[in-house]
């Protein structure tokens, strides 16, 4: 990939409706729109919703960006400190009452509001929502439990990880049609993957034992799940880059070794899928970003970053024409020309 731009002193970086969002010390750039900012302003983009957080005393007030500016009135969720957005018109808020062991959820859907209570001793982690099934998946802070509710508050079922040494991934819960995939891990190493009917909780398949697969998957246009990671070879003197393809309907797995011989450090959650490609960040000394074609099952490109030593880098952020790499520790944004499809 060809580097076409490098921008310094960037505090935060996101994509909002395909436009780059760059927060500097005193300015915010949203595409061609430039707004005044302070270094304490906190910006966040979630499902094409851009918000600004402004600290006021013990509270943080959040403002919604629309039509080139942030609104004058702060967003006041019914429960909790902020809304979790699934689209600009679909979002929920939640809070937990420790005294009553009750969680409260309010789901907003294109102007309709559904509020309900959940009996639980544990607080909620960030919920996810599947529009196709109209189901909310609510992870609990115990790292063991997933609750499945309709957006209107009907309880469907729950998953509880009974293995004391395992935790459920609350950050990657793929849903494909009526199948939800639950990943159980030991710290960050995957030990079990299961497929369930999202409506009933009936188990469809299970992979367990030494289940050395990624703990993060992305759904492709073919409804297959794809992931990428590096794995150490025997003796731990070198590693290899692997691509994993998982059929969510049957549990069938295919592993493809794309490159080996060096000490790669590719973490599966520092990967992005765009179209039929996986884009990864390699956090070994010096750094690297690469592109994998999931159809050809080959590495299309690997571009060294030439960093001085080790510096944490995040997952690439990708559009059809560009690949953005934000190196937060260096406050540096690098922009690359994406390789054309062909």
């Amino acid at each position: 990939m060809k580097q076409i731009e490098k921008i310094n002193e960037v505090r935060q970086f996101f994509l909002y409706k395909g436009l780059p969002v760059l927060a500097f010390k005193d300015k915010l750039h949203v595409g061609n729109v430039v707004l005044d900012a302070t270094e304490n302003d906190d910006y966040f983009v979630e499902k094409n919703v851009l918000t600004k957080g402004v600290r006021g005393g013990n509270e943080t007030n959040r403002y919604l960006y629309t039509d080139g500016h942030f609104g004058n009135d702060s967003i006041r969720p019914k429960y909790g400190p902020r809304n979790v957005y699934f689209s600009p018109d679909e979002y929920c808020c939640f809070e937990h009452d420790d005294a009553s062991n009750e969680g409260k959820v309010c789901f907003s859907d294109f102007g309709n509001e559904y509020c309900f209570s959940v009996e639980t001793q544990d607080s909620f982690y960030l919920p996810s929502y599947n529009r196709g099934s109209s189901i909310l998946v609510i992870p609990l802070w115990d790292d063991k439990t997933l609750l499945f509710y309709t957006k209107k508050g009907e309880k469907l079922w729950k998953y509880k990880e009974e293995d004391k040494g395992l935790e459920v991934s609350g950050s990657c819960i793929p849903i494909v049609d009526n199948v939800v995939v639950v990943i159980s891990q030991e710290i960050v190493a995957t030990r079990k993957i299961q497929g369930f009917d999202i409506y009933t909780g009936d188990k469809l398949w299970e992979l367990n034992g030494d289940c050395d697969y990624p703990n993060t998957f992305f759904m492709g246009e073919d409804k297959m799940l794809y992931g990428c990671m590096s794995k150490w070879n025997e003796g731990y003197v070198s590693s290899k880059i692997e691509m994993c393809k998982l059929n969510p309907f049957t549990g069938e797995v295919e592993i493809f070794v794309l490159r080996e011989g060096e000490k790669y450090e590719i973490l599966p959650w520092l990967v992005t899928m765009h179209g039929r490609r996986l884009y990864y960040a390699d956090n070994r000394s010096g750094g690297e970003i690469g592109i994998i074609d999931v159809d050809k099952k080959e590495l299309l490109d690997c571009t060294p970053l030439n960093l001085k030593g080790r510096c944490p880098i995040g997952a690439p952020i990708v559009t059809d024409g560009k690949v953005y790499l934000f190196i937060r520790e260096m406050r540096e944004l690098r922009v690359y020309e994406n390789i054309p499809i062909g």
Side-chain angles (χ1 to χ4, degrees):
M1 284 178 288
K2 177 184 177 183
Q3 183 175 325
I4 55 178
E5 193 173 9
K6 182 171 74 171
I7 306 172
N8 296 314
E9 300 304 322
V10 179
R11 291 195 301 112
Q12 293 179 282
F13 173 73
F14 306 95
L15 276 186
Y16 166 71
K17 297 184 177 180
L19 300 174
V21 177
L22 292 85
F24 297 94
K25 182 177 181 180
D26 59 354
K27 297 291 180 183
L28 176 75
H29 293 226
V30 184
N32 294 324
V33 175
V34 180
L35 303 173
D36 290 332
T38 73
E39 195 164 13
N40 293 324
D41 291 344
D42 180 48
Y43 300 96
F44 191 61
V45 173
E46 185 177 41
K47 303 297 184 181
N48 280 328
V49 177
L50 170 58
T51 57
K52 175 177 71 171
V54 179
R55 190 75 178 174
N58 294 325
E59 293 185 354
T60 297
N61 295 317
R62 292 210 161 267
Y63 300 86
L64 186 66
Y65 179 87
T66 28
D67 300 326
H69 68 280
F70 288 94
N72 294 322
D73 297 325
S74 64
I75 303 166
R76 297 290 181 182
K78 192 177 187 73
Y79 304 127
R82 74 176 185 91
N83 290 322
V84 177
Y85 288 91
F86 311 114
S87 78
D89 298 299
E90 299 164 302
Y91 52 90
C92 80
C93 59
F94 59 93
E95 66 183 10
H96 187 263
D97 185 343
D98 294 335
S100 63
N101 286 329
E102 184 178 73
K104 295 181 179 180
V105 181
C106 191
F107 185 90
S108 295
D109 176 25
F110 291 88
N112 298 310
E113 196 171 77
Y114 309 102
C115 299
F116 56 94
S117 298
V118 176
E119 291 186 10
T120 172
Q121 296 182 1
D122 294 290
S123 299
F124 298 159
Y125 190 53
L126 294 178
S128 59
Y129 175 65
N130 179 254
R131 184 183 294 110
S133 61
S134 297
I135 289 178
L136 273 171
V137 185
I138 306 173
L140 300 186
W141 272 108
D142 66 356
D143 293 325
K144 294 281 192 180
T145 308
L146 301 175
L147 305 179
F148 294 82
Y149 277 77
T150 69
K151 67 181 180 183
K152 296 183 178 181
E154 178 189 356
K155 183 179 180 181
L156 299 176
W157 61 288
K158 78 173 183 178
Y159 175 80
K160 177 81 172 184
E161 178 56 64
E162 300 296 341
D163 190 316
K164 293 182 179 180
L166 299 183
E167 298 178 349
V168 172
S169 172
S171 59
C172 180
I173 311 170
I175 298 173
V176 186
D177 292 344
N178 66 331
V179 177
V180 58
V181 176
V182 176
I183 300 170
S184 298
Q185 55 193 13
E186 183 180 14
I187 307 178
V188 295
T190 301
R191 296 294 181 236
K192 181 168 59 178
I193 306 178
Q194 301 169 89
F196 296 91
D197 184 299
I198 194 170
Y199 296 102
T200 65
D202 292 338
K203 185 187 293 189
L204 306 175
W205 53 265
E206 178 176 344
L207 302 169
N208 56 25
D210 189 14
C211 186
D212 200 4
Y213 304 131
N215 66 355
T216 305
F217 287 91
F218 305 87
M219 186 176 73
E221 297 164 350
D222 56 358
K223 296 188 178 181
M224 296 294 104
L225 299 178
Y226 296 91
C228 170
M229 62 187 292
S230 61
K231 288 171 58 176
W232 288 103
N233 290 318
E234 188 175 351
Y236 296 94
V237 295
S238 67
S239 64
K240 55 190 173 185
I241 301 174
E242 289 189 348
M243 183 189 88
C244 179
K245 178 181 178 181
L246 170 63
N247 185 322
F249 306 107
T250 65
E252 181 183 1
V253 178
E254 296 178 86
I255 299 290
F256 306 95
V257 177
L258 306 176
R259 190 182 179 195
E260 61 182 318
E262 300 182 40
K263 297 181 180 180
Y264 311 108
E265 293 186 23
I266 301 171
L267 304 174
W269 56 90
L270 297 182
V271 177
T272 300
M273 190 167 195
H274 183 77
R276 300 295 293 164
R277 295 172 172 179
L278 295 172
Y279 295 75
Y280 67 77
D282 185 343
N283 271 277
R284 60 183 161 141
S285 182
E288 177 183 281
I289 54 175
I291 306 176
I292 296 169
D293 186 308
V294 300
D295 293 315
K296 296 178 181 177
K297 304 173 183 61
E298 66 180 34
L299 191 63
L300 294 180
D301 184 86
C302 48
T303 300
L305 301 177
N306 299 317
L307 302 174
K308 295 181 179 179
R310 296 175 59 87
C311 182
I313 53 179
I317 299 175
V318 185
T319 67
D320 287 344
K322 295 179 180 179
V323 178
Y324 298 90
L325 190 70
F326 180 43
I327 309 173
R328 187 181 302 275
E329 190 173 284
M330 297 171 59
R331 291 198 166 194
E332 179 180 295
L333 176 67
R334 297 188 184 186
V335 187
Y336 297 85
E337 187 176 35
N338 202 353
I339 296 176
I341 297 173

